Amino acid sequence: MSERAAESPILDVRGLKVSIAGPPELQIVRGVDLAVRAGEVHALMGPNGSGKSTLASAIAGSPAYLVDEGQVLLHGEDVTALAADERARRGLFLSFQYPTAIPGVTMVNLLRASLKARRGTEPSAREFLAELRETLATLKMDESFARRYVNDGFSGGEKKRAEILQLGMLKPTLAILDETDSGLDVDALRTVAEGVNALRSPEIGILIITHYERILNYVTPDFVHVLVDGRIVRSGDVSLAKRIEAEGYDPILRAIGEGATPVAAATGGE
Amino acid sequence: MAGREAPEASSAAAVAAHPYGERQAVDAARGDAEPGWLVDRRVEGARAFAATAMPTPALRPWRYTDVSSLAIEDHVPHPPALTVRAELPEGAYAGTIADALASRGEVVRSHLGSLVASTEGRFVAANAARWNAGVLVHLPRGSAVERPIVVELSGPEVAEGASAALLPRILVVAEERSEATVVLRLRSGDAPLLVPSVAEVVCGDHAVVRLLLDGGWGARTREFTTLRARLARGATVDVATVAIGGRIVKQTLESLIEGEGAHSDFRGVALGDHDQHFDFVTLQDHLGPRTTSNVEIKAALAGASRSIYYGVTRVEETAAGAAAEQENRNLLLSRRAKADSDPVLEILTSEVIRCGHGAAVGPVDRDALFYLQSRGLDERTALKLLVAGFFEPVARRIPLEGLPEELAATVHAKLEAADLS
Ligand SMILES: Nc1ncnc2c1ncn2[C@@H]1O[C@H](COP(=O)(O)OP(=O)(O)OP(=O)(O)O)[C@@H](O)[C@H]1O
Ligand SMILES: [Mg+2]
């Protein structure tokens, strides 16, 4: 790792503005600055439709979105122009809010191919199986799960666990978890949280997008940010999450004078 | 002919000028010491060839495959490399028709041409006149062949002079309660090759025949196949076709589902690139009561390749309680790839249990592609996985061990260089 990479944040989002590829083109993320350093856990909260998933997708390199302005840096390297796979190979992992079903492709196929892509060499069958078994066991998942087609017919909770299974196997340096805690029962939530905690290390940055303070009881964030209408309007520590849990977003919305303005109506003027 | 006028050909000379004429057919058959009845069949074929015209796009099954500029007669039958490997129980036979003529002449005589008449069309007629890769699988009553019978058929590696023709003739006669799996490995080199092919599958009561057409043709091979199966009571035919190679692969797959409770299954996958052209025509003709059938054909198309599907599910008045499914899906991997899909239902009885048909033509699911790329797979690798996954459910239902893995490997190899733009 270069000198610069060592001291730069793992993720550095600078002045990012993102539109839907359209038509119609609509700016959803309207100027976000966010730095996640090694060892840190950040939580991103915000009302429905405020642009959290759009921000996550844009950071991951989704071709469905256009970056109008700003940069995304990973380990100090500007990756704004790189495809999603190149970002993933540099250590980024996105746990999707709505994971896509891929009929015909088994979890095993996916994991093998991902590991090969991530490491540059195919893991040996034995090595792979051992790793898979161990990760499945940590997540209290049945082995038959790995033989199923990716997210195909999975329950909501199973989909989230499948994301964590991949997270555990791929061992990224930047993990973005988009509502991975939603739709999980109490036990599953604890398991997933343990999975995240197991990943937590001084080398890794984690960004948790969530609506609930629940998960933050297990994985204590260093910072909490609130995204409203495509902008981070508040940043603080975990007490901010607790306040939102208790009072909702209304006090924040009133303070910034946004009221209940819908996202769509407020765009276009940038 | 540079600088010189071609001599006027008399009509007799014109007949003699191509290999599918009566005299050529007779000479070839006599040269191979074929019995008189077979020589007569070949003569019938030659006459049918002379009497039939090439199909035109005006005929529905030929709408998208224009062969008007193709002259079968310019293609000289070329002796193929043909091997048959089988572990057979006592009484069963798997080998060339030529070898079978002495010991099982009667089986060949009574079934050859019983399902596909030489007068049906020009490719079929050419085959009847000059088939040169004859394979017979004969399963007497109760005979069960456990391991797949493997037929390897290869066209010539290099063409010398005129373009070559390879004319496979497959005859499977499965008597009552017999069972076998037949794998046809079809291969050819880079030279132009025409393959007018005919397969007939006769299934007796409760017989089970599985047939895999593994099409690994060279880039300039043009295949025109007519396959027809006839099913007696409780019989099952499972035909799977894997179309990977070839310039044109046109297969007409038909099942006459006559016996009560008989079942017909056609599964196909095609993977195209460059200017490859696949054309599948299916007929599931339900004649007997409580008969069932399934057709599932999937094509993934790169480059400027093209796939055509036209299939008819016909449920006759006599087929009360029949159930049929028919599905064709096409995945377009490049902007120039093209697919036409036309599944047709003709239901003539009111007592049908279930009859479904579906057709789809579309590009790769962008969300699925992004999902895989977000896991580190570059676009091509992701597409390989998606295409292998697209085929997987079909491959898994083809009852041949190892086929899904074999197909996945083929997909990965072919898509490595395919035009996905
Ligand atoms: N591809 C798209 N096409 C049309 N609208 C989109 C698209 N992607 C996002 N949007 C719109 O952008 C806005 C932000 O969506 P986004 O999914 O980022 O919100 P979110 O903060 O993740 O919401 P939630 O909490 O409900 O998950 C919404 O109004 C959404 O409808
Ligand atoms: Mg969201």
Side-chain angles (χ1 to χ4, degrees):
Chain A
M1 207 182 274
S2 76
E3 199 72 3
R4 193 185 64 153
E7 61 204 31
S8 340
I10 292 195
L11 172 69
D12 196 355
V13 177
R14 296 181 183 168
L16 195 68
K17 296 184 181 178
V18 179
S19 293
I20 307 161
E25 252 183 57
L26 197 63
Q27 197 171 74
I28 306 294
V29 175
R30 301 163 68 224
V32 165
D33 290 277
L34 178 66
V36 178
R37 285 166 204 287
E40 291 178 354
V41 174
H42 290 236
L44 181 66
M45 304 182 77
N48 291 135
S50 57
K52 303 179 297 295
S53 295
T54 304
L55 175 63
S57 298
I59 294 172
S62 165
Y65 299 97
L66 301 173
V67 172
D68 301 327
E69 265 183 67
Q71 288 104 44
V72 176
L73 284 77
L74 275 179
H75 302 284
E77 180 193 5
D78 187 346
V79 297
T80 319
L82 297 188
D85 55 292
E86 295 175 278
R87 301 185 196 198
R89 292 198 295 273
R90 283 164 173 75
L92 188 152
F93 180 89
L94 170 61
S95 168
F96 285 81
Q97 181 178 2
Y98 303 111
T100 313
I102 311 183
V105 177
T106 62
M107 289 297 297
V108 167
N109 282 349
L110 170 65
L111 287 166
R112 285 192 73 97
S114 311
L115 280 174
K116 184 180 172 187
R118 181 92 168 79
R119 295 175 187 170
T121 56
E122 189 145 12
S124 79
R126 259 190 46 210
E127 206 184 319
F128 173 76
L129 209 65
E131 251 179 277
L132 176 62
R133 290 223 166 100
E134 194 191 311
T135 317
L136 282 167
T138 321
L139 295 171
K140 301 190 177 67
M141 288 162 72
D142 194 81
E143 280 188 28
S144 66
F145 196 78
R147 317 243 162 259
R148 291 178 63 182
Y149 294 152
V150 177
N151 298 319
D152 194 25
F154 285 15
S155 75
E158 284 171 338
K159 285 185 186 171
K160 299 302 167 81
R161 277 199 250 192
E163 296 293 284
I164 296 301
L165 170 63
Q166 295 172 63
L167 176 75
M169 295 282 287
L170 291 174
K171 301 191 173 53
T173 49
L174 176 73
I176 303 175
L177 310 182
D178 191 355
E179 295 201 28
T180 305
D181 56 331
S182 297
L184 292 178
D185 62 43
V186 202
D187 295 332
L189 179 68
R190 191 197 311 271
T191 313
V192 163
E194 279 164 7
V196 175
N197 276 329
L199 191 77
R200 210 168 169 172
S201 83
E203 288 82 47
I204 286 175
I206 299 175
L207 177 62
I208 298 176
I209 297 173
T210 183
H211 284 296
Y212 309 104
E213 186 223 358
R214 231 170 38 140
I215 182 140
L216 306 179
N217 290 332
Y218 295 101
V219 189
T220 314
D222 302 296
F223 300 94
V224 175
H225 311 278
V226 179
L227 191 75
V228 173
D229 207 359
R231 291 195 187 92
I232 290 177
V233 297
R234 286 285 182 280
S235 290
D237 61 15
V238 72
S239 67
L240 179 55
K242 294 196 192 302
R243 218 160 55 236
I244 290 168
E245 182 81 19
E247 304 167 5
Y249 290 108
D250 263 4
I252 297 175
L253 295 177
R254 271 200 304 274
I256 61 171
E258 282 268 343
T261 317
V263 172
T267 53
E270 284 299 316
Chain B
M1 296 227 164
R4 219 200 282 175
E5 285 284 298
E8 254 326 71
S10 74
S11 89
V15 168
H18 71 75
Y20 304 90
E22 250 180 72
R23 225 199 50 228
Q24 286 76 5
V26 170
D27 289 350
R30 292 242 171 84
D32 291 337
E34 290 181 354
W37 65 263
L38 187 50
V39 178
D40 291 346
R41 299 277 181 91
R42 291 191 181 274
V43 168
E44 284 166 26
R47 285 183 186 156
F49 186 81
T52 38
M54 277 302 257
T56 71
L59 296 165
R60 179 58 191 87
W62 293 87
R63 183 184 291 173
Y64 299 108
T65 302
D66 186 356
V67 289
S68 54
S69 63
L70 171 68
I72 298 174
E73 52 272 50
D74 291 347
H75 298 79
V76 181
H78 191 286
L82 172 61
T83 60
V84 180
R85 283 183 284 117
E87 292 165 36
L88 300 170
E90 185 87 35
Y93 178 88
T96 64
I97 292 182
D99 288 344
L101 284 171
S103 55
R104 300 175 195 245
E106 221 16 69
V107 175
V108 180
R109 183 178 180 161
S110 53
H111 292 104
L112 190 75
S114 67
L115 296 182
V116 180
S118 55
T119 47
E120 273 183 28
R122 202 159 161 89
F123 290 98
V124 167
N127 183 284
R130 295 300 306 270
W131 58 263
N132 60 1
V135 174
L136 171 72
V137 173
H138 176 219
L139 310 168
R141 168 193 253 261
S143 170
V145 184
E146 273 173 30
R147 308 205 23 92
I149 296 164
V150 180
V151 178
E152 283 175 3
L153 193 52
S154 308
E157 270 304 318
V158 260
E160 284 165 21
S163 294
L166 171 62
L167 301 110
R169 183 87 196 194
I170 313 298
L171 176 61
V172 179
V173 180
E175 294 178 13
E176 197 180 325
R177 292 185 197 280
S178 64
E179 179 169 352
T181 299
V182 182
V183 179
L184 287 167
R185 306 261 187 218
L186 307 163
R187 303 287 181 264
S188 59
D190 294 332
L193 182 68
L194 183 70
V195 185
S197 167
V198 173
E200 295 170 292
V201 179
V202 184
C203 287
D205 287 357
H206 304 284
V208 178
V209 173
R210 302 176 204 96
L211 184 63
L212 171 69
L213 309 175
D214 166 19
W217 298 121
R220 289 159 81 193
T221 294
R222 290 178 288 181
E223 175 199 336
F224 298 86
T225 290
T226 299
L227 177 148
R228 192 167 296 136
R230 186 170 66 207
L231 309 180
R233 176 187 298 266
T236 297
V237 71
D238 253 315
V239 177
T241 177
V242 177
I244 303 292
R247 166 71 183 78
I248 297 177
V249 174
K250 180 167 174 74
Q251 298 180 337
T252 303
L253 310 173
E254 300 185 355
S255 246
L256 309 175
I257 319 170
E258 294 178 352
E260 179 169 358
H263 176 76
S264 164
D265 226 296
F266 292 157
R267 312 265 175 202
V269 300
L271 178 57
D273 189 16
H274 305 294
D275 56 355
Q276 281 187 283
H277 181 107
F278 303 111
D279 184 337
F280 300 99
V281 176
T282 63
L283 171 68
Q284 305 144 267
D285 196 359
H286 289 258
L287 295 133
R290 283 170 292 284
T291 48
T292 53
S293 75
N294 234 309
V295 172
E296 186 179 17
I297 291 181
K298 284 186 162 182
L301 304 162
S305 65
R306 181 163 191 198
S307 181
I308 294 122
Y309 173 73
Y310 169 61
V312 176
T313 299
R314 185 181 300 142
V315 182
E316 314 269 359
E317 275 173 72
T318 48
E325 290 293 337
Q326 186 185 7
E327 191 175 310
N328 171 238
R329 301 177 77 83
N330 300 279
L331 193 57
L332 305 178
L333 302 173
S334 75
R335 272 170 297 112
R336 289 182 302 147
K338 207 165 142 55
D340 297 279
S341 183
D342 188 5
V344 178
L345 287 177
E346 289 176 12
I347 300 179
L348 310 170
T349 170
S350 55
E351 294 169 74
V352 165
I353 300 293
R354 158 182 61 80
C355 230
H357 71 317
V361 178
V364 169
D365 176 357
R366 290 285 123 191
D367 291 341
L369 189 61
F370 173 53
Y371 188 89
L372 293 179
Q373 286 192 261
S374 80
R375 273 31 177 168
L377 280 63
D378 62 69
E379 188 174 352
R380 187 172 291 269
T381 306
L383 285 168
K384 286 179 189 174
L385 222 62
L386 288 177
V387 172
F390 176 65
F391 289 150
E392 212 271 350
V394 193
R396 213 161 32 88
R397 283 194 279 272
I398 296 174
L400 186 74
E401 207 185 316
L403 185 90
E405 294 75 21
E406 195 183 311
L407 183 62
T410 306
V411 167
H412 282 255
K414 182 157 180 175
L415 289 186
E416 186 62 45
D419 167 15
L420 305 172
S421 59

